[in-house]
Amino acid sequence: MEGDLANCNSGKFVLLYMSMHIILFGRLVDIAGSSVLVGDVADTDSLINALHNTYPALAQAKYVIAVDKQVITSNTLLNEKSVVALLPPFSGG
Amino acid sequence: MSNANSYERYHRQTILPGFGEEGQQKLLKAKVLVVGAGGLGCPALQYLTAAGVGTIGIIDDDVVALNNLHRQVLYSVNDIGFSKAERASHILGQLNPEIKILSYNERLLTQNALLLFDDFDIILDGTDNFSTRYMVNDACVLLRKPLVYGAISQFEGQLSVFRNENDDDVNYRDIFPDPPKEGEVLGCDEAGVLGTMPGIIGTMMANEAIKLITGIGEPLVNQLLTYNALSNQVYQLSLSARNETHSLIPKNETEFLRTDYLWLCSSPMSEEEIDAETFNDLIEKGNVDVIDVRELQELPEANDFANIKIPLAQLANNAGEIRRDAVITFCQTGNRSLQAAKILKGIFGKDKKIYSLRGGILEWSRRKQYERKKA
């Protein structure tokens, strides 16, 4: 399922072996309607494209992308074990 | 206060392995500035004061309000309407009269930031808006001051330490290069925040400051920690510096003073304003007159694109020099060019499309440098 994303906030345990996870933070959770998504894409650029197509409001949001807990600045290859995190900036104090 | 009292006051931390009398002496000699005496600032200030940080600065121009009290637990109803900086200073003085507390009941601005920061060893960012956050970050990079960063939203918090010792130390702009525009990211006044959230993150900020001062443990350098109060999930990310980040930060005091942080984070004020990207697109498409409305001797010179020099004061009389149907005015920071655009609109009405370059030539040059380095 190339470029596929699935929402996995079913409220129940979902066992997802061998599946790339995308963790969302802050307001991005509201946009996607879930704090965790699963996907199957080749790299971060394709992931972002797929996410923006599925959730157009995400394209307007500011966020930083981390792959396996390392913030990335350019397209990065992903595999089925990758954990991708999208973090928006917070202003509150 | 006597040494015996001091010994007793700090006893429980000085007996800690690795902390000792030496750690206490370091704290007593340290100078920490807390920017913002709000949700994050209050707990940070309480713990820094209690721990015996020798000099603590508090800058905030706000007054205590009833809707602050669910999270700013330093204050009580009697403080409502009074200066946060002054009330905090008074209350903290009662907690620990042995230390020096300096309160600044004023707004942090580019005009006072550098001078103020210079007097302190560590800056804690407890502000509640992006324009001040970016200004605090840039000032700390410029002065090479360690910055303890914390931010919260609803049920989540972020925490990091920007050491700013070397050029390749990560700063806030390595994570988020540009400020979001007004309304793009909601503050606590709109999105809400759980009262304990700033308590947790603010306390962690004080903890990082204490670690930096005493040298214990591993401060959160080149790391971003996120905490979710609902799930208790802690997510810690590694950060790396980006080459291009420094081109976004003012290089010296003069550039810093010229940067309008409030503007950088605000939405376009009028329909005439365009950003650097749109500016470049319009120039590339051609058939546009670009007008430099600065005085003739002003630097930097704009040599990267064709332009006509008509200082603002002479614009109305020389508008005849403008031939094309689309016009973009620019100046140093975008203020005068917006005035110029309005003047031209008054002259040409709907006959020409009139634009003003937001942020001026300074922001445009910075962006160009940034894009070049990024490529």
Side-chain angles (χ1 to χ4, degrees):
Chain A
M1 49 171 205
E2 184 67 26
D4 240 18
L5 294 163
N7 182 318
C8 80
N9 230 21
S10 63
K12 294 174 192 147
F13 274 108
V14 186
L15 292 177
L16 294 153
Y17 295 111
M18 306 295 280
S19 180
M20 172 189 308
H21 281 60
I22 302 117
I23 312 174
L24 305 174
F25 291 85
R27 195 171 85 82
L28 308 183
V29 177
D30 303 333
I31 294 175
S34 170
S35 59
V36 185
L37 305 169
V38 289
D40 178 19
V41 285
D43 52 35
T44 48
D45 279 0
S46 340
L47 173 69
I48 296 312
N49 272 334
L51 283 171
H52 288 189
N53 283 333
T54 317
Y55 311 105
L58 211 56
Q60 308 302 319
K62 265 207 167 59
Y63 57 83
V64 65
I65 307 163
V67 176
D68 299 328
K69 299 195 169 180
Q70 172 73 51
V71 170
I72 57 146
T73 51
S74 53
N75 192 20
T76 302
L77 287 177
L78 300 172
N79 60 51
E80 68 274 14
K81 288 179 192 149
S82 300
V83 177
V84 184
L86 309 186
L87 288 102
F90 295 161
S91 66
Chain B
M1 200 167 268
S2 70
N3 279 343
N5 256 339
S6 184
Y7 174 81
E8 193 181 342
R9 176 185 285 275
Y10 304 119
H11 177 258
R12 298 297 193 273
Q13 66 192 28
T14 49
I15 59 170
L16 283 170
F19 194 100
E21 196 52 44
E22 196 189 334
Q24 193 56 53
Q25 286 310 315
K26 286 180 183 166
L27 284 178
L28 288 166
K29 281 187 198 125
K31 297 174 172 183
V32 177
L33 176 71
V34 176
V35 184
L40 293 168
C42 283
L45 282 165
Q46 282 168 295
Y47 280 102
L48 292 172
T49 301
V53 169
T55 306
I56 295 179
I58 311 166
I59 180 162
D60 199 314
D61 72 335
D62 201 6
V63 293
V64 180
L66 183 59
N67 64 21
N68 294 153
L69 300 187
H70 94 295
R71 65 192 186 286
Q72 300 175 23
V73 295
L74 184 64
Y75 308 117
S76 61
V77 282
N78 297 326
D79 299 317
I80 291 172
F82 292 101
S83 150
K84 286 187 179 180
E86 281 162 19
R87 288 313 299 154
S89 160
H90 177 79
I91 299 161
L92 296 167
Q94 292 178 321
L95 169 61
N96 190 349
E98 288 181 60
I99 63 160
K100 192 156 106 187
I101 301 170
L102 306 164
S103 70
Y104 307 90
N105 177 18
E106 53 193 277
R107 192 164 188 81
L108 188 77
L109 300 164
T110 47
Q111 290 90 329
N112 59 6
L114 297 181
L115 207 61
L116 182 65
F117 284 18
D118 218 18
D119 283 339
F120 293 89
D121 309 319
I122 295 174
I123 314 295
L124 256 78
D125 180 4
T127 58
D128 61 359
N129 63 84
F130 284 113
S131 63
T132 319
R133 286 190 180 279
Y134 277 84
M135 177 169 65
V136 168
N137 179 74
D138 291 1
C140 287
V141 171
L142 253 177
L143 296 170
R144 295 190 184 266
K145 292 271 174 201
L147 171 64
V148 179
Y149 157 81
I152 46 169
S153 179
Q154 296 190 327
F155 308 101
E156 285 177 83
Q158 295 176 346
L159 180 75
S160 188
V161 172
F162 308 127
R163 199 172 39 179
N164 292 327
E165 225 168 65
N166 309 306
D167 281 345
D168 57 353
D169 283 337
V170 167
N171 69 71
Y172 187 60
R173 286 198 191 252
D174 287 309
I175 318 174
F176 301 109
D178 302 298
K181 298 294 177 219
E182 215 172 88
E184 203 178 303
V185 177
L186 298 180
C188 294
D189 48 348
E190 289 173 280
V193 66
L194 195 66
T196 49
M197 211 50 244
I200 294 164
I201 301 297
T203 305
M204 289 173 99
M205 290 170 76
N207 190 51
E208 289 306 306
I210 291 169
K211 281 156 67 184
L212 281 174
I213 297 164
T214 57
I216 58 167
E218 290 161 34
L220 208 57
V221 175
N222 296 351
Q223 305 269 313
L224 177 73
L225 181 146
T226 72
Y227 171 75
N228 185 313
L230 295 180
S231 62
N232 277 314
Q233 293 280 329
V234 173
Y235 204 75
Q236 202 166 319
L237 303 172
S238 300
L239 306 168
S240 25
R242 310 182 193 205
N243 275 332
E244 62 270 23
T245 298
H246 279 268
S247 46
L248 292 173
I249 298 171
K251 268 156 212 62
N252 50 46
E253 193 183 338
T254 318
E255 269 194 39
F256 180 77
L257 286 171
R258 275 198 202 152
T259 307
D260 185 346
Y261 287 90
L262 211 56
W263 172 83
L264 278 176
C265 303
S266 64
S267 307
M269 299 301 274
S270 73
E271 49 173 0
E272 291 93 0
E273 285 186 310
I274 53 168
D275 59 13
E277 208 177 313
T278 316
F279 179 83
N280 293 339
D281 287 349
L282 285 170
I283 289 188
E284 200 168 308
K285 275 186 207 146
N287 206 24
V288 57
D289 275 338
V290 181
I291 319 290
D292 184 351
V293 300
R294 297 177 299 168
E295 297 302 312
L296 297 175
Q297 73 285 359
E298 276 183 70
L299 295 173
E301 275 184 65
N303 299 324
D304 295 291
F305 46 85
N307 61 80
I308 311 168
K309 294 180 198 327
I310 315 176
L312 181 63
Q314 288 139 47
L315 188 65
N317 292 331
N318 295 287
E321 285 181 43
I322 302 166
R323 299 283 153 78
R324 294 187 166 121
D325 289 337
V327 189
I328 312 172
T329 57
F330 76 90
C331 63
Q332 209 73 289
T333 61
N335 287 327
R336 282 174 290 170
S337 62
L338 187 57
Q339 285 181 49
K342 303 226 186 257
I343 292 171
L344 293 179
K345 216 158 195 182
I347 297 172
F348 296 113
K350 289 200 167 116
D351 294 345
K352 292 187 195 294
K353 278 234 167 283
I354 318 266
Y355 307 100
S356 160
L357 174 62
R358 220 166 117 75
I361 191 74
L362 290 177
E363 185 57 26
W364 184 86
S365 308
R366 232 177 255 165
R367 194 126 301 271
K368 186 183 156 203
Q369 217 182 342
Y370 174 73
E371 294 298 337
R372 196 190 299 144
K373 281 194 183 162
K374 207 172 137 185

